[in-house]
Amino acid sequence: MADEFSKGDHVTWNSHGSQAEGTVKRKITKETEASGRTVKASPDEPQYEVESDKSGKTAVHKPGALHEK
């Protein structure tokens, strides 16, 4: 598990009891709107917006939830 991801990295995460795969779209380091919700992130606690390979939808996850593919 990496603590740092870059745009374009291919990652996996757990989603509703199964494993999802996708691509990191951006690193979020401040409070912002993403994936239909307010994301409370900071430089010390970043989050990542990822796009699912299967559905094309985006989601936001903390680094600990993502795993390098």
Side-chain angles (χ1 to χ4, degrees), residues 3 5 7 17-19 21 24 27 41 43 48 53-56 60-61 64 66 68-69:
D3 288 334
F5 297 95
K7 182 178 178 178
S18 62
Q19 192 170 50
E21 293 184 29
V24 174
K27 180 178 182 177
Y48 292 89
D53 288 345
K54 187 174 181 179
S55 70
V60 177
H61 295 287
L66 300 173
E68 282 189 281
K69 177 80 173 139

Side-chain angles (χ1 to χ4, degrees), residues 9-60:
D9 284 354
H10 200 241
V11 294
T12 63
W13 63 93
N14 290 327
S15 177
H16 306 287
S18 62
Q19 192 170 50
E21 293 184 29
T23 305
V24 174
K25 302 310 276 179
R26 67 179 169 143
K27 180 178 182 177
I28 301 170
T29 57
K30 63 181 180 180
E31 186 172 319
T32 190
E33 292 290 322
S35 299
R37 67 181 183 91
T38 301
V39 177
K40 297 190 183 275
S42 68
D44 290 335
E45 293 188 28
Q47 296 195 39
Y48 292 89
E49 185 173 31
V50 294
E51 182 178 8
S52 169
D53 288 345
K54 187 174 181 179
S55 70
K57 293 182 180 180
T58 59
V60 177

